[in-house]
Amino acid sequence: MNEINDNNINTGIQNAQSDQVIEGGAVTENPAQNDNQPAEFALRDRQLLDALDEILKNRSSVQYNTEHKRPITTSEKFAKGIVRKGVGFISLALVLVLFGIVLIFCLFSPAPDYLLLLKFSPVAAILLGIEILVTLLITHGRFKINIISVIISALLVVGCCTMGVILNRTYNEEKIEYNNRSIAAEIYDRSYKELRYVADIEAMEIVVDLNPDGTGVTKGIDALSAGDTVVVNVEFGGVYATPNAFATDCKKIVDGFRIMGIDITDFHFANQSAFHSYKLDITGKYLQDYSESRLTELVNHIYIEDTDYLEDLEDLENTEDSNEN
């Protein structure tokens, strides 16, 4: 096509020069045509310009067709998709996939750690930043941000983190409570078998509170630490004539737990009968080393029969006063 246009230009130039006559090595002009030279020059210029315009049109047409026939690459398709959807759409999809995988892992894990949602939350910002950088390189800075996708991603991250913290706290509390009850039941079973013949035990209650820092979640009875609290409440049956007899049985229970190697924080003993009511609180480790005589000094006792007598005496006095009136 270009060769044809060049031939047209050459043909126009030759036609414009055909009226010149070369004689003896010199160019002589035809006198009859001197008056028509301006018109011929104008016509020749128009022909040259028309030929050039046609060449340029043909070349642009060929270049346009060549560009449109070239296949579009994957990066160009990706760039066009980002430009059309806006930055933030792809990162939203990736965040959904990421948090979905983490939730599935937590739900099917035997020991789930819901704080993984919080730990993986910075990945959402990283994905959005990578998407912005890639789009900036591909589109040379001509892109828009999908505000709705970015807002949804932020709300999704915040919601998942909040849910993860709540679920993790609830799971740990339930696990610690279950562990507390398991240890209490184990202590009760072991101690009751060993101590039921030592004294007349009517009821015994074990209360366990593991270290609040969570280190006692998987502890057993033989791995209690200083921060753990184990309280034993014992209700004695029978009748005790003196506080010393009551304190003697209390001392037997304290020594029995020590022999079994169970570390008890506090003991609370009680006995109620028709004649006396006794109570002894052994709080702290140092009181557990007290002798029977020293424990006897700590016993609180009430003479039930004396109390009843005083109540009856008060009723009798009120009756006598009413009769006198």
Side-chain angles (χ1 to χ4, degrees):
M1 183 67 69
N2 294 336
E3 293 178 354
I4 296 172
N5 294 328
D6 294 338
N7 292 331
N8 292 333
I9 295 174
N10 294 331
T11 303
I13 295 173
Q14 290 176 0
N15 292 332
Q17 294 177 349
S18 61
D19 293 335
Q20 296 180 352
V21 180
I22 303 175
E23 295 181 355
V27 179
T28 60
E29 297 180 357
N30 191 351
Q33 296 179 353
N34 290 334
D35 297 336
N36 297 327
Q37 279 186 350
E40 292 176 356
F41 289 153
L43 178 61
R44 188 167 55 199
D45 292 339
R46 277 199 304 274
Q47 291 176 350
L48 290 172
L49 292 175
D50 292 339
L52 291 173
D53 290 339
E54 187 176 356
I55 292 172
L56 293 175
K57 288 180 181 179
N58 291 332
R59 287 183 177 179
S60 62
S61 177
V62 172
Q63 183 179 3
Y64 177 80
N65 293 331
T66 303
E67 291 178 353
H68 280 263
K69 289 180 181 179
R70 181 176 61 83
I72 300 176
T73 61
T74 304
S75 61
E76 291 177 345
K77 293 180 181 179
F78 179 76
K80 288 182 179 179
I82 292 178
V83 171
R84 185 173 60 255
K85 296 292 184 179
V87 175
F89 185 79
I90 295 178
S91 60
L92 172 60
L94 295 177
V95 167
L96 288 171
V97 173
L98 174 65
F99 280 98
I101 293 174
V102 174
L103 279 174
I104 292 175
F105 177 78
C106 291
L107 291 175
F108 288 94
S109 176
D113 183 11
Y114 294 102
L115 290 181
L116 285 176
L117 295 170
L118 181 62
K119 296 175 182 178
F120 277 96
S121 59
V123 178
I126 294 174
L127 292 175
L128 180 60
I130 292 174
E131 184 179 359
I132 292 174
L133 291 176
V134 173
T135 307
L136 183 65
L137 294 175
I138 294 176
T139 62
H140 303 288
R142 297 187 297 271
F143 66 91
K144 64 178 180 179
I145 297 178
N146 193 329
I147 302 298
I148 297 177
S149 297
V150 174
I151 293 175
I152 294 175
S153 297
L155 293 177
L156 180 65
V157 171
V158 173
C160 288
C161 292
T162 304
M163 180 182 66
V165 172
I166 295 174
L167 289 176
N168 192 74
R169 181 182 302 173
T170 304
Y171 174 76
N172 286 337
E173 290 177 354
E174 292 178 352
K175 191 173 182 180
I176 292 174
E177 181 64 23
Y178 175 78
N179 197 205
N180 288 344
R181 293 182 179 181
S182 299
I183 295 177
E186 187 177 354
I187 294 175
Y188 179 86
D189 292 339
R190 183 188 298 185
S191 59
Y192 187 80
K193 293 177 182 178
E194 297 291 336
L195 302 175
R196 59 182 175 176
Y197 299 113
V198 173
D200 184 8
I201 299 177
E202 184 174 311
M204 184 169 62
E205 180 187 12
I206 310 295
V207 180
V208 177
D209 185 11
L210 295 177
N211 197 336
D213 62 359
T215 57
V217 174
T218 58
K219 287 182 179 179
I221 186 175
D222 298 325
L224 298 175
S225 63
D228 300 326
T229 301
V230 180
V231 179
V232 176
N233 299 317
V234 178
E235 178 73 24
F236 288 121
V239 179
Y240 292 97
T242 62
N244 182 261
F246 173 75
T248 300
D249 280 352
C250 294
K251 182 62 175 176
K252 293 178 182 179
I253 300 297
V254 173
D255 293 339
F257 275 99
R258 181 175 298 170
I259 293 172
M260 289 185 291
I262 302 175
D263 191 12
I264 305 299
T265 307
D266 298 326
F267 287 94
H268 302 287
F269 299 98
N271 170 255
Q272 291 183 356
S273 63
F275 301 99
H276 304 285
S277 176
Y278 295 102
K279 184 178 180 182
L280 175 61
D281 296 329
I282 302 177
T283 59
K285 301 296 182 182
Y286 66 98
L287 291 181
Q288 298 178 19
D289 296 329
Y290 279 12
S291 62
E292 297 176 7
S293 59
R294 295 195 65 183
L295 289 177
T296 303
E297 298 175 358
L298 301 176
V299 174
N300 296 319
H301 60 283
I302 300 175
Y303 292 96
I304 305 298
E305 57 183 359
D306 293 344
T307 304
D308 294 338
Y309 172 76
L310 293 176
E311 292 178 353
D312 295 339
L313 181 61
E314 184 178 358
D315 293 337
L316 179 62
E317 291 178 351
N318 293 332
T319 303
E320 292 177 353
D321 292 340
S322 62
N323 291 333
E324 291 178 357
N325 294 330

